Amino acid sequence: MKSAILEVRGVGKSFPGVKALSGLSMTVHRGEIVAFVGENGAGKSTLLKILSGDYDLDEGSVLLDGVEVAHATPLDARRGGFRLVRQEPEIVPHISVAENIFIGEYPTLGGGRVDFTAMRNTVNDLLERYGFAGLVDIEALGRTLSPAQMHIVEILRALKDGVKVIAFDEPTSSLTKEETDRLFDLIRLLRDEGLGVIYVSHRLHEVMEISERVVVLKDGVPTGDLMTAETTEQEIVQLMVGRELAHGFQREETTTDEVVLEVEHLSSRWHRDISFRIRAGEIVGFAGLVGAGRTELAKVLFGEFERTGGTVSICGEEKNIKSPADAIAANIGFAPENRKAEGLILVRSVIENVSMAIYSVLARFGVLRNREMYDAVSPYVRDLDIKTPSLDQEVGKLSGGNQQKVVLARWLAAKPKLLILDEPTRAVDVGAKAEIYRLMDDLARRGMAIMMISSELPELLSMSDRIIVMSDGAISRPVEKADATEEAIVNLALGKGMA
Amino acid sequence: MAANEQTAPPQGMKMNNGPLKRFTKSVGAENLSLMIALVVMVALIASQTEFFFSARNLLNIGQNMAVVGLIAVGMTLVIVSAGLDISVGSIAGCASVVCALMVSQVGTVIGGVAFGIGIGILLGLVNATIISILRVNAVVATLATFSAFRGLAFLIAPGGRPVGVLDPTLAQLGSGRFFQIGEFPGIPIAFVILAVVAVCAHFVMRTTVFGRSVYSMGGNPDAARLAGINLTKMRYYIYAISGALSGLAGVIVTARTSSGQPASGTQGLELEAITAVFLGGALLSGGKGTIFGSMLAVLLLATLSNGMNLLGIPTFYQLVAKGLLLVLAVAIGQWRLARAEREQARLTAAGEG
């Protein structure tokens, strides 16, 4: 039997009014990969934050390699050998990869001078040892890195010295299939080196693939501790939500003949000769690797980035869209991927956040009336089931899932003919995902044209009427729903058989 | 998941009971603390000198408030939009000189007022151009024009000296009063101008597309742009308004002192206006702040410096006190922000695991 490296005994943590975690006991052994699963709110992040020293626990104890670390500070936790690979790595933009990896712990020559040679050598060794050689230039500046490369930097930070237990928090949310496979190879390598590995993810198929044991949390309470080989996705889902979820989302065909969006020979800094159509009632999925130009295409259509050639027509009328305001006037809505940075105004109220795109529609002679704002906004807040004490609540004080719904409500209130959704379910839990799918289906039924950018193949396959695959700024011929398989999409995304 | 998210206790739920709580909510906690501070300060000053409540002194406070108050109205727009305008005092200096020249050389008071405000708008547009088109950070841009516009004021004034202007109509703007009936000493015209401007600005900020857009762009410029707000256009309007109100303040300085002053009377106005806006509850990072709060803070500052003068506290101490107050105002804002962030972190942790 392998020996225990991390023991969590009866850990509990409360926040005013909420029990975030209670009575959690579990063990991670040397050379073992343990997955934590649970819906948003189940207590996964709370546990990781307790282990990494961000939160102090209320009850219970934590033993890391036999040492009590229950009340560790972040620095204690790090020194003790616990490392967390965060979902969104903090990368300093203007310093090199090597410096980013060693930030805060530069090797010195004495007299406070940084030993750049030692730093470079160590980083090169690390890249070699963990199979990242050639994937990232150690002299490259932080701001030039792709999301995958940022992850490599974050992982190497964790691995560079004295690591005993490494935890990955939703590591694959911005990774492609290939990058995910490579990450899994690395995780197996770490296991074989005798580390304890914790893997937190919403993606159950990944959990099934990589983990040896699964700990299921529901509302802060452990509901299962299972050997992965002896369980099924269905069983895990049941333990997570206490009910059985229908596998995948079934949509009926709602496509009509009316063409809402027609793009012809569009080009831009990122794109060349892109032509496609989306009809009313149709959901067209956009697949592709990160960096293929999908988000950029959405932003070109929305007037945020410049279009250098080609035409865009909405309902048969050519539109010269040069700014987001033009796009909104042309009945286009756009819910960006990064909701906090590009979608929400955290210090302002729900009502303002929902109505800001339709101020000029609601106003008479530039004056907005409260009554009319409430009337325009409340149906969407109700339909989307946004949990808020009042419409005047600051959005920054809502939970993450509700914040995402606020962005969606803004675009529903604008009643667009074309709605562009960039990764609509990124970092959303199983239940909220199903709600968003239902909403998209409903919108399509009512005749909206939807352009859905997504990196999740099951989502693309179940929601899209057609799938367009982007690769390096160009698009494939649309793949009809009947012909769409994971393999076909992945091959197109890799640039094989592009139109 | 619906059930999980409900477990996060929404803040503000407990607020809806009792008349005191309701009053706090409608006035705002920040404004209430300002009011309390004001009352305490007035009580302290009045207990030391009975001259404080004399008609002459109150008129004096009202007149002093007008100049800083007008600038603070514009500054509220600027700071809520996540900008800063350090050049306001220098713009007021230019406007003061231009107004005096118009009135003394051409003999038109209306022209003087119009040109004073006009040069303010023009210089505000210069600020907006530097910030939006040349993409210079607002602090640096207006720090540069803070110096440049002051120089301009001296250049416009013949020989760099104050321009004397003896026009009784113009003087009314500075020291005239409305409603001077019987015993009642009346209300300073300058104060009435401020009141009208502040009420209009309050209405604009709360109920117009323009005002709401100022809040949106200050809270998150990227999100505002993606919601169709033209940030460049907004900045031109905002800095032009700030310039116009600084210009008007400069005109009032000319009227009060009977001379176009390139420097005296308009120096240090930026510090007072910025302090007032932050003290009034605005955030350095933008998106928050009200005209009402800023005006309360202007009243507080005017009372404070009046009180210090009455109690014979030397100017040097007053300068130190003003500096400390600015730090205090921003520190309170940061503290509020940190508290809100902790609240959100707690909700996220509780609501999302």
Side-chain angles (χ1 to χ4, degrees):
Chain A
M1 187 61 206
K2 291 181 265 189
S3 61
I5 184 90
L6 177 73
E7 286 176 76
V8 173
R9 294 180 189 154
V11 162
K13 172 77 186 165
S14 298
F15 297 101
V18 190
K19 201 134 180 88
L21 211 56
S22 66
L24 176 68
S25 297
M26 56 133 224
T27 307
V28 179
H29 300 94
R30 280 178 229 280
E32 184 183 38
I33 304 170
V34 178
F36 282 179
V37 298
E39 288 192 281
N40 286 348
K44 298 169 306 205
S45 298
T46 308
L47 178 61
L48 289 184
K49 286 187 174 168
I50 287 173
L51 293 176
S52 65
D54 286 347
Y55 289 161
D56 197 0
L57 50 72
D58 298 335
E59 55 191 42
S61 69
V62 179
L63 292 179
L64 180 59
D65 201 14
V67 181
E68 172 66 55
V69 292
H71 303 286
T73 65
L75 193 62
D76 292 340
R78 188 176 166 82
R79 289 200 179 130
F82 179 83
R83 303 292 153 80
L84 175 60
V85 176
R86 289 169 206 274
Q87 189 178 356
E88 275 156 20
E90 298 282 346
I91 301 291
V92 182
H94 301 296
I95 62 176
S96 73
V97 163
E99 287 170 274
N100 260 297
I101 290 171
F102 273 93
I103 194 157
E105 297 164 313
Y106 291 140
T108 53
L109 289 165
R113 286 172 303 142
V114 175
D115 187 351
F116 285 101
T117 318
M119 198 158 76
R120 270 194 293 271
N121 290 341
T122 317
V123 173
N124 274 326
D125 290 349
L126 284 169
L127 286 170
E128 195 68 44
R129 177 166 162 203
Y130 293 112
F132 292 131
L135 291 178
V136 50
D137 172 9
I138 67 169
E139 296 300 338
L141 295 182
R143 65 182 157 81
T144 65
L145 300 181
S146 71
Q149 290 174 322
M150 290 187 188
H151 247 92
I152 293 176
V153 171
E154 175 78 356
I155 290 169
L156 292 185
R157 271 179 191 162
L159 293 178
K160 69 176 188 292
D161 56 354
V163 55
K164 288 172 184 163
V165 175
I166 184 164
F168 293 87
D169 188 9
E170 297 285 352
T172 59
S173 59
S174 58
L175 300 187
T176 62
K177 185 81 181 72
E178 271 60 45
E179 289 160 353
T180 301
D181 287 344
R182 194 171 278 145
L183 176 73
F184 284 1
D185 289 343
L186 170 73
I187 290 176
R188 293 192 186 100
L189 177 68
L190 296 176
R191 172 197 61 196
D192 297 341
E193 286 186 351
L195 298 185
V197 180
I198 295 174
Y199 188 87
V200 174
S201 179
H202 280 122
R203 299 183 179 179
L204 291 185
H205 61 276
E206 290 179 358
V207 167
M208 298 303 288
E209 186 184 338
I210 190 73
S211 72
E212 286 148 22
R213 210 147 50 78
V214 184
V215 174
V216 187
L217 291 169
K218 177 174 185 288
D219 299 338
V221 182
T223 53
D225 190 337
L226 317 157
M227 300 308 291
T228 310
E230 295 162 12
T231 184
T232 62
E233 269 188 53
Q234 285 292 327
E235 189 186 3
I236 294 173
V237 169
Q238 235 174 321
L239 289 168
M240 277 167 60
V241 298
R243 66 194 128 93
E244 214 156 338
L245 278 183
H247 201 77
F249 189 94
Q250 295 300 318
R251 283 190 63 231
E252 283 170 36
E253 169 92 37
T254 55
T255 310
T256 63
D257 291 335
E258 188 200 347
V259 175
V260 172
L261 172 71
E262 175 149 30
V263 175
E264 285 185 311
H265 309 297
L266 178 141
S267 59
S268 80
R269 224 182 99 194
W270 300 271
H271 308 99
R272 50 184 200 277
D273 196 25
I274 288 187
S275 303
F276 67 94
R277 297 167 162 194
I278 303 180
R279 285 167 291 179
E282 185 180 35
I283 298 179
V284 175
F286 275 70
L289 305 180
V290 169
R294 294 172 300 164
T295 297
E296 288 81 2
L297 178 62
K299 289 191 171 177
V300 169
L301 291 176
F302 199 64
E304 168 84 340
F305 292 155
E306 195 191 358
R307 175 168 50 92
T308 53
T311 59
V312 176
S313 307
I314 298 290
C315 296
E317 210 179 308
E318 192 179 323
K319 302 278 184 188
N320 186 16
I321 295 166
K322 288 188 160 155
S323 70
D326 292 344
I328 293 165
N331 286 307
I332 303 176
F334 172 51
E337 174 183 7
N338 192 340
R339 293 166 192 93
K340 268 203 175 152
E342 299 184 325
L344 293 165
I345 297 171
L346 296 174
V347 295
R348 305 306 308 178
S349 65
V350 172
I351 189 165
E352 284 175 78
N353 270 280
V354 175
S355 59
M356 61 188 280
I358 52 167
Y359 277 161
S360 45
V361 181
L362 291 176
R364 266 183 243 157
F365 305 111
V367 176
L368 290 160
R369 258 165 284 236
N370 254 339
R371 250 309 275 296
E372 282 163 23
M373 279 170 76
Y374 274 91
D375 289 348
V377 163
S378 3
Y380 299 102
V381 172
R382 205 172 41 236
D383 282 0
L384 289 174
D385 199 21
I386 297 174
K387 300 269 183 320
T388 174
S390 85
L391 291 181
D392 297 320
Q393 179 79 342
E394 273 179 31
V395 165
K397 289 179 181 163
L398 300 184
S399 72
N402 282 310
Q403 290 182 343
Q404 287 169 16
K405 291 189 198 165
V406 168
V407 179
L408 283 176
R410 175 188 304 156
W411 295 111
L412 298 189
K415 302 193 180 75
K417 288 181 176 146
L418 170 70
L419 180 61
I420 305 172
L421 300 171
D422 194 356
E423 302 286 358
T425 63
R426 185 174 173 197
V428 155
D429 65 53
V430 181
K433 246 184 202 176
E435 275 185 54
I436 290 171
Y437 293 154
R438 198 165 35 76
L439 178 76
M440 287 169 65
D441 184 48
D442 198 41
L443 294 172
R445 246 175 236 282
R446 286 191 257 160
M448 201 180 277
I450 297 177
M451 170 175 172
M452 176 184 73
I453 297 171
S454 173
S455 296
E456 285 193 42
L457 287 174
E459 173 172 296
L460 282 164
L461 293 173
S462 72
M463 292 306 293
S464 315
D465 295 303
R466 288 182 299 145
I467 297 174
I468 290 174
V469 186
M470 280 198 90
S471 166
D472 200 18
I475 61 170
S476 70
R477 208 176 17 240
V479 182
E480 295 295 330
K481 186 169 195 142
D483 310 329
T485 61
E486 298 209 7
E487 293 73 44
I489 306 292
V490 169
N491 279 331
L492 284 169
L494 292 172
K496 297 176 196 158
M498 291 299 289
Chain B
M1 77 130 253
N4 282 338
E5 301 213 341
Q6 246 169 352
T7 56
Q11 211 216 22
M13 278 293 213
K14 334 166 195 106
M15 291 277 286
N16 297 325
N17 42 19
L20 184 67
K21 293 267 165 106
R22 245 179 321 191
F23 176 72
T24 313
K25 208 183 170 190
S26 70
V27 178
E30 297 102 78
N31 292 338
L32 194 68
S33 38
L34 279 179
M35 287 175 184
I36 294 169
L38 187 62
V39 169
V40 170
M41 192 189 302
V42 167
L44 272 175
I45 299 169
S47 72
Q48 297 299 310
T49 163
E50 47 199 48
F51 182 67
F52 180 79
F53 276 122
S54 71
R56 222 181 102 206
N57 191 49
L58 292 180
L59 286 174
N60 204 6
I61 293 180
Q63 277 168 356
N64 283 337
M65 255 186 87
V67 173
V68 181
L70 285 169
I71 292 178
V73 169
M75 190 67 77
T76 306
L77 267 68
V78 172
I79 289 178
V80 167
S81 77
L84 201 70
D85 190 349
I86 303 174
S87 70
V88 286
S90 305
I91 293 179
C94 285
S96 174
V97 174
V98 166
C99 169
L101 284 175
M102 273 308 279
V103 178
S104 63
Q105 307 294 316
V106 188
T108 155
V109 172
I110 294 179
V113 175
F115 268 74
I117 296 174
I119 184 122
I121 294 176
L122 193 71
L123 299 180
L125 293 176
V126 170
N127 280 337
T129 305
I130 298 174
I131 294 164
S132 270
I133 309 298
L134 304 182
R135 297 180 183 283
V136 177
N137 166 290
V139 177
V140 176
T142 59
L143 183 62
T145 54
F146 161 82
S147 164
F149 294 165
R150 184 66 74 192
L152 187 65
F154 280 105
L155 287 173
I156 301 171
R161 277 191 295 277
V163 184
V165 48
L166 294 166
D167 186 298
T169 321
L170 183 67
Q172 283 294 311
L173 271 183
S175 45
R177 301 175 215 163
F178 282 135
F179 312 116
Q180 233 175 316
I181 310 155
E183 290 288 293
F184 188 64
I187 304 169
I189 292 179
F191 181 80
V192 173
I193 293 175
L194 169 63
V196 171
V197 166
V199 168
C200 289
H202 174 79
F203 172 78
V204 166
M205 288 298 274
R206 277 183 78 104
T207 66
T208 65
V209 174
F210 171 76
R212 304 319 308 179
S213 303
V214 174
Y215 283 108
S216 298
M217 74 181 278
N220 184 344
D222 290 322
R225 200 178 54 242
L226 286 175
I229 294 170
N230 184 335
L231 300 187
T232 306
K233 201 168 105 189
M234 289 293 295
R235 264 186 216 113
Y236 271 99
Y237 280 122
I238 290 165
Y239 283 92
I241 291 170
S242 172
L245 293 175
S246 305
L248 182 56
V251 168
I252 290 175
V253 168
T254 304
R256 287 190 71 186
T257 59
S258 294
S259 64
Q261 297 280 359
S264 168
T266 55
Q267 271 173 328
L269 285 176
E270 61 287 327
L271 176 75
E272 291 193 30
I274 291 170
T275 306
V277 174
F278 285 133
L279 209 53
L283 287 180
L284 188 56
S285 49
K288 286 234 143 178
T290 59
I291 299 288
F292 183 64
S294 298
M295 291 304 103
L296 262 183
V298 168
L299 178 61
L300 184 91
L301 290 177
T303 311
L304 179 69
S305 72
N306 175 267
M308 290 197 288
N309 281 334
L310 290 185
L311 301 178
I313 297 172
T315 322
F316 306 139
Y317 288 105
Q318 295 194 23
L319 286 175
V320 174
K322 279 180 189 169
L324 288 177
L325 212 53
L326 176 57
V327 173
L328 183 73
V330 176
I332 291 172
Q334 294 295 100
W335 174 75
R336 278 201 195 107
L337 205 61
R339 201 180 49 170
E341 268 168 19
R342 274 200 303 276
E343 177 72 9
Q344 158 67 5
R346 186 179 72 71
L347 274 188
T348 308
E352 314 218 292

